[in-house]
Amino acid sequence: MDTIWVLVANQAEAQIYSSDQHGENLVMVDTLADKEGAAHSRDLLTEAPGRAIDRVGLARHAMEPKRGVMEEHRRRFVKKVVERLEAGHLGGDFDQLVILAAPAVLGVVRKSLPADLEKIVVKEIPKDLIGRGVDEIQANVEQVFELA
């Protein structure tokens, strides 16, 4: 069985497609969403941002929250996605994996993949194709197999 799963992801949504051995005929397997992944980091905090006083003068400014909040949400979401991929792989649903993900998400996916999934990754493409049509995703996947 040469079934390929294609993960298309960004920090707020992930789509998993199944394909035949040549990356053709994509069929949706699952979608996962994280509403907090699409939120602005200041919207995820429970308190208003702190305020700072200028070194010179009396002007006060709101401080922007640290980026760590978004990175933590991204890491949690990717963990859910990887758990879904592991379940599919353990169930024998696919033999190869292609990952098309936004660059920041792709880095987290790489760090989160267990060894058994790392071994079956055929190609990683740093591209955010969420919201694009299946035809565009299909074209990117087919290109992977044309070059191989």
Side-chain angles (χ1 to χ4, degrees):
M1 169 211 245
D2 281 339
T3 302
I4 301 161
W5 270 17
V6 178
L7 171 64
V8 180
N10 64 20
Q11 65 187 25
E13 188 175 348
Q15 300 168 339
I16 300 172
Y17 294 90
S18 180
S19 179
D20 63 17
Q21 63 184 359
H22 301 292
E24 299 171 348
N25 306 319
L26 289 180
V27 176
M28 178 75 73
V29 172
D30 202 356
T31 59
L32 296 106
D34 178 25
K35 64 180 180 172
E36 293 174 342
H40 192 281
S41 60
R42 71 175 162 254
D43 297 333
L44 299 173
L45 298 173
T46 57
E47 300 176 353
R51 305 209 35 98
I53 298 174
D54 276 348
R55 291 180 192 196
V56 177
L58 300 173
R60 292 177 45 136
H61 304 282
M63 296 174 63
E64 200 56 35
K66 294 183 180 175
R67 293 186 49 90
V69 174
M70 288 303 293
E71 291 167 3
E72 179 62 22
H73 281 282
R74 184 181 306 127
R75 190 192 61 74
R76 286 184 197 159
F77 180 59
V78 167
K79 183 179 178 190
K80 290 179 193 174
V81 172
V82 169
E83 287 171 355
R84 175 61 180 100
L85 293 172
E86 279 185 292
H89 187 245
L90 290 173
D93 296 335
F94 66 101
D95 306 304
Q96 296 178 331
L97 180 62
V98 174
I99 302 171
L100 290 103
V105 174
L106 182 57
V108 179
V109 170
R110 281 185 189 132
K111 292 176 185 174
S112 303
L113 282 179
D116 60 328
L117 285 179
E118 272 184 28
K119 292 177 188 174
I120 63 168
V121 173
V122 176
K123 183 74 175 175
E124 298 172 347
I125 302 171
K127 230 182 221 186
D128 184 358
L129 294 177
I130 291 291
R132 304 291 176 93
V134 175
D135 293 340
E136 189 171 345
I137 295 168
Q138 179 76 52
N140 278 272
V141 173
E142 287 177 359
Q143 188 176 15
V144 167
F145 291 96
E146 287 174 6
L147 298 174

